[in-house]
């Protein structure tokens, strides 16, 4: 089945530094990937839609200059949290559609637990 | 924008009992998908419903899509400890996620 790999699984960084999170589709091509943020015991909040070869589409309230998304290939999307602050500490998770239709199920990465000190 | 509401937020179930979680939308959904997220894990796709009134079963799990395609339900019979986790519904072309129902089971 479709596998999405997300790296790193955990990262601790100092306030003011930047962190890059990678999301790879291992056995399929994903023209579209999605980035979410999840707070403890809460739902998945869609941050942005990452489109291969074009600019990401950000949800309302998400700062595109702070959360940089690059989708350079059909199998890799990256999310860079720039100038991280403690309030950016969260669980970030990516997903990709297993097929071409918008009805296709989403396959999620294992998530990245970011802690900003 | 499209919003998907899910109730209850928490469900504490005695092992062996049944329970149902509900998903409601203010607008008609083209499809509804259900995911399960185990504690500490990531969401895993369970099933997709597309047709009005559709019912699908996976062992002890029964998924239903309403006739108006605005609501869905997940019914679990004879709950087991392996059912622990958060169940999310997601609907529409943009797959808006509900808040999830977190299920705990007491033996």
């Amino acid at each position: 089945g479709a596998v999405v790999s997300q790296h790193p699984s955990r990262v601790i960084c100092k306030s003011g530094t930047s962190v890059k999170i990678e999301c790879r589709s291992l056995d399929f091509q994903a023209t579209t990937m999605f980035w979410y943020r999840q707070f403890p015991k809460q739902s998945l909040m869609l941050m942005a839609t990452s489109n291969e070869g074009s600019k990401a589409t950000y949800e309302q309230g998400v700062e595109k200059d702070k959360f940089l998304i690059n989708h350079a290939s059909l199998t890799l999307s990256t999310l860079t949290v720039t100038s991280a602050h403690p309030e950016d500490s969260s669980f970030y998770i990516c997903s990709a559609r297993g097929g071409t239709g918008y009805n296709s199920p989403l396959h999620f990465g294992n998530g990245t637990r970011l802690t900003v000190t | 924008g499209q919003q998907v509401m899910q109730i209850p937020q928490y469900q504490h179930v005695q092992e062996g009992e049944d329970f149902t979680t509900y998903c409601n939308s203010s607008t008609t959904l083209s499809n509804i998908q259900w995911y399960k997220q185990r504690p500490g894990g990531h969401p895993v796709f369970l099933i997709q419903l597309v047709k009005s009134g559709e019912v699908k079963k996976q062992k002890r799990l029964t998924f239903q899509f309403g006739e108006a395609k605005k609501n869905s339900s997940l019914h679990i019979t004879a709950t087991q400890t392996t059912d622990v986790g958060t169940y999310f519904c997601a609907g529409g072309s943009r797959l808006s996620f509900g808040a999830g129902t977190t299920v705990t089971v007491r033996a």
Side-chain angles (χ1 to χ4, degrees), chain B residues 29 36 40 45 48 51 56-57 60 71 84 86 101 105:
Chain B
L29 300 170
K36 178 182 179 182
F45 174 76
Q48 175 172 258
K51 299 178 182 177
K56 288 187 176 180
K57 291 190 176 184
R60 296 178 294 103
N71 55 71
V84 165
T86 301
T101 294
V105 178

Side-chain angles (χ1 to χ4, degrees), chain A residues 34 36 38 41-44 46 49 57 59 91 93 97 102-111 113, chain B residues 9-10 30-31 33 35 37 40-45 48 50 88 92-95 97-100 102:
Chain A
F34 304 92
Y36 304 83
Q38 188 176 33
K41 299 183 180 181
Q42 294 191 23
S43 186
L44 299 158
L46 179 64
T49 302
T57 304
E59 295 299 302
F91 188 62
I93 192 164
R97 292 195 188 277
Y102 70 84
N103 279 347
S104 300
L106 295 176
H107 299 281
F108 285 84
N110 286 334
R113 176 76 56 193
Chain B
Q9 187 174 0
Y10 299 98
S30 55
N31 68 92
Q33 297 180 2
Y35 294 80
Q37 183 176 22
H42 62 277
V44 174
F45 174 76
Q48 175 172 258
V50 179
F88 293 100
S93 58
R94 288 171 56 80
L95 276 184
F97 277 80
T102 298

